[in-house]
Amino acid sequence: MKKIKLIIWIAVLVLLESMGYARIFGAVPALTFAFLVCVALNDDDFYTAAVTGGICGMLAGSLLGRSFSFIFIFYTISAAAVYTFRKKPRYTHAIFKAVFWCGLLTAVMELALFALETGSISLFALYSIALPSVLYNIAAALVIYPLIMRTVYNEEKQRKLIT
Amino acid sequence: MSFFKKKAGVTVIVVAVIAALLTVITHFTGENPVSNAVRAVFAPFRSGIAAVSGAVSERINFIREAGAYKEQNEQLVNEIIELKKQNKETAVYREENERLNALLELKNSIQGYSTVAASVIGYSSNHWYDSIEINKGTLAGINTGNTVIAADGIVGIVTDAGPNWAVVNTVINPESATGIAVARTGDIGVIEGDAELCYDSLCKLTFVDKGANIIVGDILVTSGTGGIYPPGLNVGTIRDISADNMGTINYASVEPMVDFKNLHEVLVINGVQ
């Protein structure tokens, strides 16, 4: 059931992202990226997180017109990395971790893409490309996180509490 | 932790291999099969969503812009009213221009006479069209006895004149009489105003020769006899002929060429050049 919900979420987010329905001031945040970060932080299964990252990367790379290979690898590795470090630091609410990971990884992704395209990294790339993307994706994560908690992981957490 | 790191390492390797494989395939074939497949799968969904969202956003925009549409509609209605007004004014100007042009042509066609153009400002109080008042008078050189014509034909004779006005007895006035000729045959006669016919804006043709050949529809023009009107100006058309058993014409009713109901500008002949 959880996997079906995740697939539905991915499909909806990919459509929203690729069709530009989630515009903020004319730019579309990487909804699938924010989603995979939230999933990797909350899921207990490594492969679910990694495969979610891989699927999101594959779809985003295919439909959003960016470097397929880079997006595919980056999304999957990001999911694996976030999953690996999801419990650090301890006693910190996962939404803060989602904001942190989303911001950090988005900045790395945008700068890396800029470097791949232009062969250099500049302050322009940092302020004009990476920073807005970071803010957009953090905003997306703040919206997506509570939604997937309610729709996907709520039952799982309740079951854990009972057992 | 090492378990996760091992898993992550395997994942990285698998993903890197898949990505490398796809990159190689893309490099050699020019197409990314995964990307193509994803696009093919999502295309119908995207088309459907685009169609639905397009229709919905169109409705929403319509509702959102309804106020603006209303305002625009009011503006357009006002614009239409203004344009209709302008159109009406233009039509009036065009009609006036045509009338003035006709009057100017008439003025140019009457050689040897001095003329004064004037506008009709009033009609007789006892009968609408048996006398009219014009806006020029003695200050413009108009005096009693001057003849008045319009583009369509003769109007009448000035019977009273003030500094800036003059009264004109029209050809249907019972006191008026004008020498005419039948344009078709050259027969001469006199048209006079008639107390009864006057109410139908008609006058009557009298003093026609016994052997005169006139028919309904004949056009009458001024004969020039008596020196009142220049010869050859349109007077009217025969509308009805009254004759006795012997065929002798008693009189004929004549419809003036000038439409007194729509008479606006006239030309007063006030002398010979």
Side-chain angles (χ1 to χ4, degrees):
Chain A
M1 190 62 185
K2 186 181 78 180
K3 284 174 184 168
I4 292 169
K5 285 179 181 175
L6 287 175
I7 288 168
I8 292 169
W9 260 105
I10 291 169
V12 169
L13 292 175
V14 161
L15 286 170
L16 281 174
E17 192 177 341
S18 67
M19 296 182 76
Y21 290 127
R23 277 201 181 89
I24 305 172
F25 299 118
V28 183
L31 299 175
T32 44
F33 189 74
F35 176 75
L36 76 85
V37 169
C38 295
V39 169
L41 281 168
N42 285 289
D43 211 292
D44 290 329
D45 181 24
F46 175 82
Y47 287 113
T48 303
V51 170
T52 302
I55 291 171
C56 286
M58 196 171 66
L59 297 176
S62 300
L63 296 174
L64 301 178
R66 302 180 104 175
S67 167
F68 176 85
S69 299
F70 177 82
I71 295 287
F72 176 52
I73 292 171
F74 191 85
Y75 273 42
T76 316
I77 291 173
S78 294
V82 172
Y83 181 86
T84 305
F85 298 105
R86 75 190 193 284
K87 287 185 178 167
K88 291 187 179 180
R90 287 185 180 277
Y91 311 116
T92 306
H93 196 285
I95 198 162
F96 296 118
K97 292 179 189 174
V99 168
F100 169 76
W101 283 112
C102 220
L104 177 72
L105 292 171
T106 302
V108 171
M109 178 173 68
E110 293 298 336
L111 290 173
L113 274 170
F114 185 82
L116 274 176
E117 285 167 10
T118 62
S120 64
I121 294 178
S122 61
L123 276 178
F124 168 78
L126 190 65
Y127 286 114
S128 301
I129 298 170
L131 191 61
S133 299
V134 165
L135 294 176
Y136 288 148
N137 288 358
I138 286 173
L142 287 171
V143 174
I144 290 170
Y145 185 86
L147 291 175
I148 64 160
M149 284 306 293
R150 276 179 177 278
T151 55
V152 182
Y153 293 107
N154 204 22
E155 284 177 25
E156 201 171 316
K157 299 274 177 195
Q158 281 176 354
R159 210 180 304 129
K160 269 186 194 172
L161 284 172
I162 291 165
T163 54
Chain B
M1 192 68 185
S2 62
F3 169 72
F4 289 131
K5 281 183 181 171
K6 192 180 170 188
K7 273 185 168 181
V10 171
T11 306
V12 168
I13 290 165
V14 170
V15 167
V17 168
I18 294 170
L21 192 65
L22 286 170
T23 307
V24 170
I25 292 169
T26 307
H27 178 73
F28 283 107
T29 62
E31 286 180 355
N32 184 336
V34 175
S35 190
N36 287 351
V38 168
R39 283 177 187 277
V41 169
F42 273 85
F45 294 105
R46 294 169 87 183
S47 308
I49 291 169
V52 172
S53 72
V56 170
S57 67
E58 202 174 303
R59 292 271 186 280
I60 290 169
N61 284 341
F62 180 78
I63 293 164
R64 198 188 294 159
E65 291 166 6
Y69 287 144
K70 194 183 169 193
E71 199 178 317
Q72 196 179 14
N73 187 41
E74 282 170 5
Q75 278 178 357
L76 289 172
V77 167
N78 289 337
E79 211 170 300
I80 287 169
I81 291 168
E82 186 62 29
L83 287 172
K84 275 183 179 173
K85 195 178 157 191
Q86 283 179 10
N87 195 26
K88 203 174 171 184
E89 282 173 3
T90 308
V92 169
Y93 289 140
R94 189 168 54 231
E95 199 183 318
E96 188 180 6
N97 185 43
E98 283 169 7
R99 287 199 312 266
L100 291 172
N101 269 336
L103 205 65
L104 186 64
E105 277 177 29
L106 179 69
K107 185 177 181 178
N108 291 336
S109 70
I110 304 169
Q111 299 292 331
Y113 294 91
S114 64
T115 54
V116 177
S119 295
V120 176
I121 55 170
Y123 293 93
S124 139
S125 56
N126 53 354
H127 181 267
W128 271 103
Y129 308 117
D130 69 346
S131 72
I132 58 170
E133 194 171 328
I134 57 175
N135 69 341
K136 298 271 175 72
T138 50
L139 291 175
I142 295 171
N143 287 302
T144 305
N146 288 162
T147 52
V148 181
I149 57 175
D152 295 331
I154 64 168
V155 176
I157 294 169
V158 175
T159 54
D160 199 2
N164 56 355
W165 57 270
V167 175
V168 180
N169 273 3
T170 66
V171 289
I172 61 170
N173 189 297
E175 292 174 13
S176 80
T178 308
I180 57 92
V182 179
R184 183 172 58 85
T185 61
D187 292 323
I188 58 168
V190 174
I191 59 157
E192 296 175 336
D194 182 87
E196 285 180 19
L197 292 174
C198 178
Y199 286 93
D200 295 322
S201 292
L202 299 173
C203 48
K204 85 179 169 187
L205 172 64
T206 54
F207 300 111
V208 189
D209 289 338
K210 276 190 177 176
N213 173 21
I214 59 169
I215 54 172
V216 172
D218 265 345
I219 293 170
L220 309 179
V221 295
T222 50
S223 62
T225 52
I228 299 172
Y229 290 101
L233 296 174
N234 285 333
V235 176
T237 50
I238 304 285
R239 189 173 159 182
D240 187 27
I241 299 168
S242 169
D244 60 18
N245 292 337
M246 302 298 288
T248 307
I249 295 167
N250 293 327
Y251 70 91
S253 60
V254 176
E255 186 175 2
M257 286 283 190
V258 173
D259 180 8
F260 293 109
K261 286 178 195 169
N262 295 307
L263 186 61
H264 300 281
E265 288 87 21
V266 294
L267 210 57
V268 182
I269 300 171
N270 64 343
V272 182
Q273 282 180 331

